[in-house]
Amino acid sequence: MLLKKTVLVAAMLLSTSLLSTTTIAGSEIALLIDMLRDNGTVSEEQYQRLQAELKQIQNQAQNQNPIQVEPPFHATQTVKPIVVKATSDKFTAQLGGRLQIDAASYSGEPKMGNGTEVRRAYLTLKGTLSPDWAYRFQYNFADTGEDGKGILDAFVAYQGMDDFDVTVGHFKAPFTLHEATSDNFVTFTERASVAAFSPGRQIGAMISDSNDNRTWAIGAFGESVSQHGGEEDEAFGLSSRATWSPLNQPRQVLHLGLGMNYQQTGSLDTVRYKQQAETHVAGVNLVDTGVINQAENVLKLGAEFAGVWGPFATQIEYVSTSVNRNKVDDVHFDGWYAETSYFLTGESRHYSQGHFARTKPLKQVGKGGLGAWQLALRYSELDLNDGAILGGETEAVTLGLNWFPTSALRFSANYVDVLAVDGGPNADLTPRLFQVRSQWSF
Amino acid sequence: MLLKKTVLVAAMLLSTSLLSTTTIAGSEIALLIDMLRDNGTVSEEQYQRLQAELKQIQNQAQNQNPIQVEPPFHATQTVKPIVVKATSDKFTAQLGGRLQIDAASYSGEPKMGNGTEVRRAYLTLKGTLSPDWAYRFQYNFADTGEDGKGILDAFVAYQGMDDFDVTVGHFKAPFTLHEATSDNFVTFTERASVAAFSPGRQIGAMISDSNDNRTWAIGAFGESVSQHGGEEDEAFGLSSRATWSPLNQPRQVLHLGLGMNYQQTGSLDTVRYKQQAETHVAGVNLVDTGVINQAENVLKLGAEFAGVWGPFATQIEYVSTSVNRNKVDDVHFDGWYAETSYFLTGESRHYSQGHFARTKPLKQVGKGGLGAWQLALRYSELDLNDGAILGGETEAVTLGLNWFPTSALRFSANYVDVLAVDGGPNADLTPRLFQVRSQWSF
Amino acid sequence: MLLKKTVLVAAMLLSTSLLSTTTIAGSEIALLIDMLRDNGTVSEEQYQRLQAELKQIQNQAQNQNPIQVEPPFHATQTVKPIVVKATSDKFTAQLGGRLQIDAASYSGEPKMGNGTEVRRAYLTLKGTLSPDWAYRFQYNFADTGEDGKGILDAFVAYQGMDDFDVTVGHFKAPFTLHEATSDNFVTFTERASVAAFSPGRQIGAMISDSNDNRTWAIGAFGESVSQHGGEEDEAFGLSSRATWSPLNQPRQVLHLGLGMNYQQTGSLDTVRYKQQAETHVAGVNLVDTGVINQAENVLKLGAEFAGVWGPFATQIEYVSTSVNRNKVDDVHFDGWYAETSYFLTGESRHYSQGHFARTKPLKQVGKGGLGAWQLALRYSELDLNDGAILGGETEAVTLGLNWFPTSALRFSANYVDVLAVDGGPNADLTPRLFQVRSQWSF
């Protein structure tokens, strides 16, 4: 009798597991009940009760979503997961999102209009097709003009070899620490003015490798994702970066890096470098070389230093850009910045594989904490004057405050004071600006 | 022996639950089998069978997707969920989609081309980053011209305070009931002609609160998500809406509302109001003020009334628009509509927090029902004539039929008869049109 | 005592199933433990242990994501599924993605620029709203010019009738085998030159049916998803296709098909047919009729043959296009291709419901295999010369190699030799080209 009760209750319990294993357990449960009736363990009456119980649970299982996810908004609504056809055991698909909403206020000359902007709105789909093959697609929906809307990352990577990975598609040419660091995680709302030399994303193929103490990458690139080339060959480029982190611990990092980027200018034989006042809302260029003709190719060299000591972090980069011109003198531009930051709430800047990554507050808002608060200071220079080219040389200092209520949220306020502009279209004009950003990303 | 069989079968059954609990149950099952062998409950032969069974099931579990989702198309294919990196325990991510396909046929003057259109194609990603922080991103992929493709909602909201929520980003300025109601759920295929005055979505910050019997919202806004502002400051705006529903029960609602919207005109000092004949396929404007110069700012006021009595619903709104002009006479426009609808199949219009929401058929198609059938009638006026501005005044009546086979599906047919057009570019032309829509949304 | 142990361990095991069935099993487990204590099966001490065990497991279950997905990148991070509000029991949502990255090198005349291209970047959302209603939305993010970026599939389909399905929205007009086959699965990187006559996707309504041995579809269409039509009516079209596969087994297929497509030319009364050299990177048209005026409508007829014999497959199509012109002579164009392919690794081309589908390698890379390797050869002709219209006639042969490391990945290399171009803008110019593609799709 005791046994019967035990078996009966056990069968009831087991049948609840139907909810997660409906497809395979149904017949075994029925078999068990039949067996128990046949050998007399359960009486006919108990058998009927078991059958009724089983039917009821099966009905529940059919009417119920097998996945019990916390409902996003209302506790009563039914939700189901978005799925993908798996191409292998190790197939995975992950969605990411990012939104940056900016507002900026300007004073001084040149005139820049106060305003607002959806700075970036990204969706990302990434994962692994099978154990050794990774994929990634990322799109910017924010239509902010020439550097806005369009395909960002779009590649496939083979990661099955010991010595290096191979990546093919559209992705960032490896060059400089502040480009390798996502705009989610750079210290200020805009990268330093020397970002005027960043090669950006192009279609190409790259080999790369990394471990805890070094990374290297070298790739061959065509042009950016774009319209048809028509009759002209695309310009060809090479980019490479190597980093060394002799010290790489959670709260102590020493990072050194070198980069080289070579780019043909294509059939137009032109290049142009320009930069805003470390802001993006107004869209006004502070320095601008205009179109430089008779340019055959460009060679850029970059040097990187960064360090993390507990809540302190510092980062210094220098980039030199040489435009090799045909029949006229070559021109050389350069720029650099130094920044330092301090977490008032004790966090430490997160470094991984040659770049900085997501900040996790020690105590997030909503769990008894204030989130992470970070103060930061940056000095930057960009020199676009050389020979006959007078694009302007600018110096600026930026004071920044970042608040991370949780690891997914960031609110930033930046005050930028342009100290000097020598030459160029806005010579001797030194604007000041205040910019705030609301950001979520995951 | 009976016990042995029971335990054996029970262990088999239990092991099937591995499929959903592989990570934790594996060792316990092995332990049980070992224990049963050690104390003689199962023979050595049975033990071997159990071990083989267990290994087989574990292999199945490893090769199998741990989530048993109903396969979308073919019963045999393996599917996996799309995942996101969770930023907190309460992190949620929900995807929504919406598609509206229209076809329209026109008669009378002005000439409008019969045709088809993808009216709206939205994807939405929304959820909570942590318990108190909500996010939302919504994009319209349908390229239908000036009011088409682009970012819709893009915001972050803090919902952790008792008194009000704070929303920052790009979203609808709070104004009027028919704008607060999603185009999924408005009664007719197009909103009434007075929607010409709708402020639409802008970048801003808003505080708001709601309970069962009232809602209020007030926000400060810049311009719509858009290109760089260049040298000019963005125009500034304020928008606010308050609603009161003294009666708010599932099938009985009384709703009253007031709205105020103030908008500077920006550096261009112009405004323009225009409207199609409550259709969108042809894209021909029936009334149009043209560009109104010397406009400094615009003040709009709105009054709302709505009621639900079982299957009946009614809704009346009036909007007044005053354009404050510099050195010339101000101009005043206005418009209003009254609509009533009746569910032939007994449903009641769903009202929630100051707007109407999704209709759920009492008996959906495919489950022995006909879905929900709704008849609707609307009268609307829009007056764009004042002083020297002759945009035209239009009156129209619309007869609508909606069929909701399920809550995700809607098929609509609208017949619009423009009763009169006084003044403006199409004076005395009174077109008629028939429009159908196929819609899915979730 | 033995029984007690057994029950105790069984209860522990059962309680682990809580992780997947928290919502319903909690009370039964507690009930079982209480019962066992009450009837003396377990001692008070064992009861306390069970209670503690139960509490601990319940806490785990609460703190744990109920879905244990393999983390896409780092084993330690928490992931959650993206969900949707389910509109019915049978609601499903599935995401798909596709990326094609091309590089091409050209020789001979006309001049075409070597280069790279993101050929296609698709996201797809599809599923069932309820048992009988299917939906699909697909968008191309690759901005490659006129045939690029924009809405692809966008429809709702009713599949609840025995005799046929009804589809309403924006989708491919049914015509030809190579259009019915996804660009993921066509044999070469670009379809044969006769694709110049493909009607593409349009807004319309279609009825269709299929079984293992035949498919048929007929639809009425307006124009492609597009801007407002303004004053002019949209052009109207009809398209239909029927296929017969008297032999349809996994490795043996015989396919025959016929198609008819009728299209009015709309208010412009023009048509134009043009084609590149079975490549897309450079975007240069090899043959081109230019704008053909006084065109009233176009009638296209297509004939299809395909066969699969184990690793061999062959496919032949012919399309005739008659432009019915007003007051001048009608013109007739046509084209055809024949292709054959062979899987070196023994796979067989996958055929289903009137078109070819995804290749699954017998042994994928990473599981001890080489993936699937396929060799292919194609001859194609396109004749755009007739009467006064000299668009050019082109013949080309293509040699292709496809490597499918897994079913989600494809790397293709194509060598195209244009044998002859008679007449047209590039008369007697015969370029050669080499094109490679990296593709992932799921």
Side-chain angles (χ1 to χ4, degrees):
Chain A
M1 184 56 201
L2 176 62
L3 177 63
K4 288 177 192 173
K5 268 195 192 157
T6 308
V7 170
L8 188 148
V9 179
M12 283 168 58
L13 283 169
L14 284 162
S15 60
T16 64
S17 71
L18 272 175
L19 283 177
S20 54
T21 59
T22 334
T23 46
I24 63 154
S27 54
E28 281 96 331
I29 287 281
L31 179 70
L32 171 66
I33 297 174
D34 285 347
M35 278 175 65
L36 295 176
R37 194 237 343 235
D38 292 344
N39 62 26
T41 308
V42 299
S43 68
E44 184 63 28
E45 182 219 337
Q46 287 171 327
Y47 177 76
Q48 295 302 333
R49 274 176 54 202
L50 276 170
Q51 284 287 5
E53 196 91 29
L54 182 62
K55 184 153 286 175
Q56 188 190 333
I57 288 166
Q58 281 174 330
N59 284 342
Q60 277 177 23
Q62 273 172 8
N63 292 330
Q64 192 165 346
N65 183 341
I67 298 169
Q68 295 294 330
V69 187
E70 300 157 43
F73 289 97
H74 308 292
T76 57
Q77 78 197 16
T78 311
V79 291
K80 295 211 178 184
I82 304 271
V83 297
V84 283
K85 268 196 257 185
T87 62
S88 79
D89 302 349
K90 299 292 181 190
F91 178 83
T92 62
Q94 182 177 336
L95 201 68
R98 180 184 312 181
L99 182 68
Q100 297 173 350
I101 306 272
D102 288 6
S105 170
Y106 302 93
S107 63
E109 294 287 316
K111 184 79 185 78
M112 295 190 266
N114 302 334
T116 57
E117 181 180 58
V118 177
R119 178 66 175 93
R120 292 182 179 93
Y122 291 3
L123 284 187
T124 307
L125 179 67
K126 65 180 183 180
T128 51
L129 299 164
S130 63
D132 296 330
W133 297 91
Y135 67 92
R136 187 176 166 99
F137 178 69
Q138 187 176 50
Y139 193 81
N140 182 9
F141 290 89
D143 194 2
T144 60
E146 62 185 280
D147 58 348
K149 199 166 173 177
I151 293 175
L152 303 173
D153 285 344
F155 63 75
V156 59
Y158 182 67
Q159 304 175 336
M161 287 178 291
D162 287 340
D163 292 337
F164 53 81
D165 297 343
V166 180
T167 305
V168 175
H170 189 250
F171 52 92
K172 279 183 186 171
F175 190 65
T176 75
L177 170 59
H178 67 158
E179 279 299 322
T181 300
S182 159
D183 55 73
N184 274 333
F185 311 134
V186 294
T187 310
F188 299 89
T189 51
E190 297 296 331
R191 292 188 176 90
S193 50
V194 71
F197 301 133
S198 293
R201 285 176 175 87
Q202 293 160 330
I203 298 179
M206 179 176 78
I207 58 172
S208 62
D209 193 36
S210 67
N211 64 23
D212 282 352
N213 294 111
R214 57 153 186 75
T215 77
W216 61 263
I218 182 162
F221 294 88
E223 290 178 356
S224 174
V225 54
S226 62
Q227 303 289 324
H228 293 303
E231 296 192 0
E232 298 295 339
D233 290 351
E234 277 189 19
F236 173 80
L238 271 177
S239 199
S240 114
R241 179 175 176 247
T243 72
W244 182 48
S245 39
L247 184 64
N248 183 6
Q249 293 170 9
R251 295 174 65 88
Q252 276 195 313
V253 177
L254 183 63
H255 163 100
L256 298 165
L258 288 173
M260 188 282 295
N261 180 272
Y262 166 84
Q263 181 71 48
Q264 294 178 341
T265 54
S267 55
L268 291 175
D269 284 342
T270 62
V271 291
R272 179 181 177 182
Y273 298 103
K274 53 194 168 67
Q275 186 58 285
Q276 303 176 39
E278 291 171 346
T279 179
H280 195 269
V281 173
V284 173
N285 289 315
L286 191 63
V287 290
D288 188 348
T289 62
V291 172
I292 302 176
N293 293 312
Q294 293 161 275
E296 294 207 321
N297 56 60
V298 179
L299 181 68
K300 297 169 188 167
L301 299 173
E304 319 167 9
F305 167 83
V308 175
W309 300 269
F312 279 103
T314 194
Q315 183 174 334
I316 302 172
E317 287 197 272
Y318 171 82
V319 178
S320 144
T321 294
S322 301
V323 181
N324 183 16
R325 302 179 75 191
N326 187 18
K327 295 179 189 163
V328 289
D329 285 350
D330 296 353
V331 284
H332 305 274
F333 307 126
D334 64 2
W336 68 281
Y337 70 90
E339 68 173 55
T340 186
S341 59
Y342 177 72
F343 277 106
L344 302 169
T345 41
E347 288 79 4
S348 191
R349 220 175 163 205
H350 181 201
Y351 173 87
S352 168
Q353 299 190 318
H355 56 81
F356 287 100
R358 188 177 294 274
T359 294
K360 285 176 189 142
L362 292 175
K363 286 191 181 172
Q364 70 175 52
V365 172
K367 293 203 161 178
L370 294 171
W373 290 83
Q374 185 187 31
L375 265 177
L377 188 70
R378 178 174 68 193
Y379 176 83
S380 69
E381 281 192 21
L382 175 65
D383 184 357
L384 299 182
N385 291 331
D386 190 44
I389 306 296
L390 279 178
E393 178 180 356
T394 176
E395 300 166 36
V397 65
T398 304
L399 182 65
L401 177 65
N402 296 316
W403 175 42
F404 307 82
T406 74
S407 64
L409 282 162
R410 172 178 171 173
F411 296 92
S412 298
N414 278 197
Y415 175 78
V416 180
D417 192 348
V418 175
L419 303 176
V421 175
D422 296 333
N426 294 301
D428 302 323
L429 302 181
T430 55
R432 292 170 302 287
L433 63 102
F434 183 71
Q435 178 159 323
V436 292
R437 171 171 297 171
S438 303
Q439 170 183 310
W440 52 259
S441 69
F442 54 80
Chain B
M1 183 61 197
L2 176 63
L3 177 63
K4 287 178 191 173
K5 269 193 192 159
T6 310
V7 170
L8 189 146
V9 178
M12 283 168 59
L13 282 170
L14 283 160
S15 59
T16 65
S17 71
L18 272 176
L19 283 177
S20 54
T21 58
T22 334
T23 46
I24 62 156
S27 53
E28 281 94 334
I29 288 281
L31 179 70
L32 171 66
I33 297 174
D34 286 347
M35 278 174 66
L36 295 176
R37 196 240 338 241
D38 293 345
N39 63 26
T41 309
V42 299
S43 68
E44 183 64 25
E45 180 220 340
Q46 286 170 326
Y47 176 75
Q48 295 302 334
R49 274 177 53 202
L50 275 170
Q51 284 287 4
E53 195 93 27
L54 181 62
K55 185 153 285 175
Q56 188 190 334
I57 289 166
Q58 281 174 330
N59 285 342
Q60 277 177 24
Q62 274 173 7
N63 292 330
Q64 192 164 346
N65 183 342
I67 298 169
Q68 295 294 328
V69 186
E70 299 156 45
F73 288 97
H74 307 294
T76 56
Q77 80 197 15
T78 310
V79 292
K80 296 211 177 184
I82 303 271
V83 298
V84 282
K85 269 196 256 184
T87 63
S88 79
D89 301 348
K90 299 294 180 186
F91 178 84
T92 61
Q94 183 177 337
L95 201 69
R98 180 184 311 182
L99 182 69
Q100 296 173 349
I101 305 271
D102 288 6
S105 171
Y106 302 94
S107 63
E109 295 285 317
K111 184 78 184 80
M112 294 189 267
N114 303 335
T116 57
E117 182 179 58
V118 176
R119 178 66 174 96
R120 291 181 179 94
Y122 292 2
L123 283 187
T124 307
L125 179 67
K126 66 179 182 181
T128 51
L129 298 164
S130 62
D132 297 329
W133 297 90
Y135 67 92
R136 187 175 165 98
F137 178 70
Q138 188 176 48
Y139 194 82
N140 182 9
F141 289 90
D143 194 2
T144 61
E146 61 186 281
D147 59 347
K149 197 167 175 176
I151 292 175
L152 303 173
D153 286 343
F155 62 73
V156 59
Y158 182 67
Q159 303 174 337
M161 287 178 291
D162 288 339
D163 293 336
F164 53 82
D165 296 343
V166 181
T167 305
V168 175
H170 189 250
F171 52 93
K172 278 183 187 172
F175 190 65
T176 76
L177 171 58
H178 67 160
E179 279 298 323
T181 300
S182 159
D183 55 73
N184 274 334
F185 311 134
V186 294
T187 311
F188 299 89
T189 51
E190 298 296 331
R191 293 188 176 90
S193 50
V194 70
F197 301 134
S198 293
R201 286 176 175 88
Q202 294 160 330
I203 297 179
M206 179 175 78
I207 58 173
S208 62
D209 193 36
S210 67
N211 64 24
D212 281 353
N213 294 111
R214 57 153 187 76
T215 76
W216 63 262
I218 181 162
F221 294 87
E223 290 177 355
S224 174
V225 54
S226 61
Q227 303 289 322
H228 293 303
E231 297 192 359
E232 298 295 338
D233 290 351
E234 277 188 19
F236 174 80
L238 271 176
S239 199
S240 115
R241 179 173 178 248
T243 72
W244 182 48
S245 39
L247 185 64
N248 182 5
Q249 293 171 9
R251 294 175 64 89
Q252 277 196 313
V253 177
L254 184 62
H255 164 101
L256 298 165
L258 288 174
M260 188 280 297
N261 181 272
Y262 167 83
Q263 181 72 47
Q264 294 177 342
T265 54
S267 55
L268 291 174
D269 284 342
T270 62
V271 292
R272 179 181 178 182
Y273 298 103
K274 54 196 169 64
Q275 186 59 285
Q276 304 176 39
E278 291 170 347
T279 178
H280 194 269
V281 173
V284 173
N285 289 316
L286 192 63
V287 290
D288 188 348
T289 62
V291 173
I292 301 176
N293 293 313
Q294 294 161 275
E296 294 208 319
N297 55 61
V298 179
L299 182 67
K300 298 169 187 166
L301 299 172
E304 320 167 9
F305 167 83
V308 175
W309 300 269
F312 279 104
T314 194
Q315 182 175 333
I316 304 173
E317 286 198 272
Y318 170 81
V319 178
S320 144
T321 295
S322 301
V323 181
N324 183 18
R325 300 178 77 191
N326 187 19
K327 295 181 189 163
V328 289
D329 284 349
D330 295 353
V331 286
H332 304 274
F333 307 126
D334 64 2
W336 68 281
Y337 70 90
E339 67 172 56
T340 187
S341 59
Y342 177 74
F343 276 105
L344 303 169
T345 40
E347 288 79 4
S348 191
R349 219 175 161 202
H350 180 202
Y351 173 87
S352 168
Q353 299 190 318
H355 56 81
F356 286 101
R358 188 177 295 273
T359 293
K360 285 176 189 142
L362 292 175
K363 286 192 181 173
Q364 69 175 53
V365 171
K367 294 203 161 179
L370 295 171
W373 289 84
Q374 185 187 30
L375 266 177
L377 189 69
R378 177 174 69 191
Y379 175 83
S380 68
E381 281 192 21
L382 175 65
D383 183 357
L384 297 182
N385 292 332
D386 190 43
I389 307 296
L390 278 179
E393 179 180 355
T394 176
E395 297 166 38
V397 66
T398 305
L399 182 64
L401 177 67
N402 296 317
W403 175 41
F404 306 83
T406 74
S407 63
L409 282 162
R410 172 178 170 172
F411 297 91
S412 299
N414 278 197
Y415 175 79
V416 180
D417 191 349
V418 176
L419 303 176
V421 176
D422 297 333
N426 294 301
D428 301 324
L429 302 181
T430 55
R432 292 170 303 288
L433 64 101
F434 183 72
Q435 178 159 322
V436 292
R437 172 171 298 171
S438 303
Q439 171 183 310
W440 54 259
S441 68
F442 55 79
Chain C
M1 185 56 200
L2 174 63
L3 177 64
K4 288 178 190 172
K5 269 193 191 159
T6 309
V7 170
L8 188 146
V9 178
M12 284 168 58
L13 284 170
L14 283 160
S15 60
T16 64
S17 71
L18 272 174
L19 284 177
S20 54
T21 58
T22 334
T23 46
I24 63 153
S27 54
E28 281 96 331
I29 287 281
L31 178 70
L32 170 66
I33 298 174
D34 286 347
M35 278 175 65
L36 296 176
R37 195 241 337 240
D38 292 345
N39 63 25
T41 309
V42 300
S43 67
E44 183 64 27
E45 180 219 339
Q46 287 170 328
Y47 177 76
Q48 296 301 334
R49 274 176 55 202
L50 276 170
Q51 285 287 4
E53 196 93 26
L54 182 62
K55 184 154 288 177
Q56 189 190 331
I57 289 164
Q58 282 174 329
N59 284 342
Q60 278 177 24
Q62 274 173 7
N63 292 331
Q64 193 165 348
N65 184 341
I67 298 169
Q68 295 294 328
V69 186
E70 299 157 45
F73 288 97
H74 308 293
T76 56
Q77 80 198 14
T78 311
V79 292
K80 296 211 176 184
I82 303 270
V83 297
V84 283
K85 269 196 257 186
T87 63
S88 79
D89 302 348
K90 299 292 180 189
F91 177 84
T92 61
Q94 183 177 336
L95 201 68
R98 179 185 312 182
L99 181 69
Q100 296 173 350
I101 307 270
D102 287 7
S105 171
Y106 302 93
S107 62
E109 295 286 317
K111 184 77 186 78
M112 295 189 266
N114 303 333
T116 58
E117 182 180 56
V118 177
R119 179 64 176 96
R120 291 181 179 94
Y122 292 2
L123 283 187
T124 307
L125 179 67
K126 65 179 184 182
T128 51
L129 299 165
S130 62
D132 296 330
W133 297 90
Y135 66 92
R136 189 175 164 97
F137 177 70
Q138 188 176 49
Y139 193 82
N140 182 10
F141 290 89
D143 194 3
T144 60
E146 62 186 281
D147 58 347
K149 199 166 172 177
I151 292 175
L152 302 173
D153 286 343
F155 62 74
V156 58
Y158 182 67
Q159 303 175 336
M161 288 179 291
D162 287 339
D163 292 337
F164 53 82
D165 297 343
V166 180
T167 305
V168 175
H170 188 251
F171 52 93
K172 279 183 187 172
F175 190 65
T176 74
L177 170 59
H178 67 158
E179 279 299 322
T181 299
S182 160
D183 55 72
N184 274 334
F185 311 134
V186 294
T187 310
F188 299 89
T189 51
E190 297 297 331
R191 292 187 176 89
S193 50
V194 71
F197 301 134
S198 293
R201 287 176 174 88
Q202 293 160 330
I203 297 179
M206 179 176 80
I207 57 173
S208 62
D209 192 36
S210 67
N211 64 23
D212 280 352
N213 293 111
R214 58 154 184 75
T215 76
W216 63 262
I218 181 162
F221 294 88
E223 292 178 354
S224 175
V225 54
S226 62
Q227 303 290 322
H228 293 302
E231 297 191 0
E232 299 296 338
D233 290 352
E234 277 188 18
F236 173 82
L238 273 176
S239 198
S240 117
R241 179 173 177 249
T243 72
W244 182 46
S245 39
L247 183 65
N248 182 5
Q249 293 170 9
R251 294 174 64 89
Q252 277 197 313
V253 177
L254 183 64
H255 163 100
L256 298 165
L258 288 173
M260 187 281 296
N261 180 273
Y262 167 83
Q263 181 71 47
Q264 295 177 341
T265 54
S267 54
L268 290 174
D269 284 343
T270 63
V271 290
R272 179 181 178 181
Y273 298 103
K274 55 195 168 64
Q275 186 57 286
Q276 303 175 39
E278 291 170 346
T279 177
H280 195 270
V281 173
V284 172
N285 288 315
L286 191 64
V287 290
D288 188 349
T289 62
V291 172
I292 302 175
N293 294 313
Q294 293 161 275
E296 295 207 321
N297 56 59
V298 179
L299 182 68
K300 297 168 188 167
L301 299 172
E304 319 167 9
F305 167 83
V308 175
W309 299 269
F312 279 103
T314 195
Q315 182 174 332
I316 303 172
E317 287 198 272
Y318 171 81
V319 178
S320 143
T321 294
S322 301
V323 181
N324 183 17
R325 301 178 74 191
N326 187 18
K327 297 180 187 164
V328 289
D329 285 351
D330 296 353
V331 285
H332 304 274
F333 307 126
D334 63 2
W336 68 282
Y337 70 90
E339 67 173 55
T340 187
S341 58
Y342 177 72
F343 277 105
L344 302 169
T345 40
E347 288 80 3
S348 191
R349 218 174 162 203
H350 180 200
Y351 173 88
S352 169
Q353 299 190 318
H355 56 80
F356 286 101
R358 188 177 295 274
T359 293
K360 285 175 190 142
L362 292 175
K363 285 193 181 172
Q364 71 175 50
V365 171
K367 293 203 163 179
L370 294 172
W373 290 82
Q374 185 186 29
L375 266 178
L377 188 70
R378 178 174 70 194
Y379 175 83
S380 69
E381 281 192 21
L382 175 66
D383 184 357
L384 298 181
N385 292 332
D386 190 43
I389 306 296
L390 278 179
E393 179 181 353
T394 176
E395 299 166 36
V397 66
T398 304
L399 181 65
L401 177 67
N402 296 317
W403 175 42
F404 307 83
T406 74
S407 63
L409 281 162
R410 171 178 172 173
F411 297 91
S412 299
N414 277 198
Y415 176 78
V416 180
D417 191 349
V418 176
L419 303 176
V421 176
D422 296 333
N426 294 301
D428 301 325
L429 303 181
T430 55
R432 293 169 303 286
L433 63 101
F434 183 71
Q435 177 160 324
V436 292
R437 172 170 297 171
S438 303
Q439 171 183 310
W440 52 259
S441 69
F442 55 81

